[in-house]
Amino acid sequence: MSFKCSFDIACLESEPLERLFDETTSYVQNVAIEMVVNERGPRGQEEHPATTIGLTLQRPVIQIADWLGKGQRIEATAHELAHLLLVYRSGLGVVGRRVPRPGDSEDVFRFFMSMRGDWIYLLGQISNTAHHLMLIDLLKQEYGIEDDLHIYLLHQNFYVAVNDKPNDKESQFGMGLVAFEYERLIGKIDRAINLDHQSEFFWEAYHLAHKHFGRYGFGSIPTPASYREDILSFLEALGYQKEDFTFFP
Ligand SMILES: [Zn+2]
């Protein structure tokens, strides 16, 4: 990420995308869209050409890689806007680590002891996967937008991540979640990975994801309270303490 410029979606000439933008900004103002000039990574690395930052500051900024073609820019921007709709219209925020209570030394100790794993990957994946189960059909049914880019990236990135073999527990839990999402959105996971080579942590998260998020879909969007409870009890079943987490925005 080196150079950014603000970007006007009008030049993508997509009426459904503009409608989606208007709907999103009726729930959260000041949504900015930036085109980010960056090198496309080498083949065989995970690709994340679109992302949203600034959620915790109530000032979302959607960043789109400049190497995407016009059709993919529409899909990528729509995908990020749909995440924002789920956050602000449906009340399904993103889960994060709670900062320890100042002065509570046990709390501070536990926070730092558990910082070793790849928390950003695991927690990011929980909200992402939960959202994606609703988001793909939301885009199709409310806006007629097919999110082929997400399906392509899910397949690519899942294959790359699993073959990377990270050995921290949080990353393996995160990949179990991706496997669950893959099965829901694409099909059998043995198309992408070797089932015999996956860890106990991978399977634990995979089975728990089915149990806690299996009913999620565009036709069954959870209430904010049950969504938070599903995520916290998922984390608890993985061995964490519920009170260590909080939701944004
Ligand atoms: Zn997404």
Side-chain angles (χ1 to χ4, degrees), residues 1 38 45-51 63 65 67 121 125 153 157:
M1 300 270 166
N38 65 349
Q45 275 193 8
E46 282 195 51
E47 292 188 67
H48 298 280
T51 185
Q63 297 187 320
W67 51 261
Y121 179 72
Q125 201 56 59
L153 292 170
N157 291 343

Side-chain angles (χ1 to χ4, degrees), residues 79 83 128 132:
H79 180 102
H83 273 298
N128 266 326
H132 291 152

Side-chain angles (χ1 to χ4, degrees), residues 50-52 76 79-80 82-83 124-125 127-129 131-132 135-136 147 150 181:
T51 185
T52 299
H79 180 102
E80 296 304 313
H83 273 298
Q125 201 56 59
S127 310
N128 266 326
T129 289
H131 274 197
H132 291 152
L135 184 156
I136 303 296
D147 192 355
H150 177 68
E181 180 182 334

Side-chain angles (χ1 to χ4, degrees), residues 27 178 228:
Y27 292 95
V178 181
R228 283 195 291 270

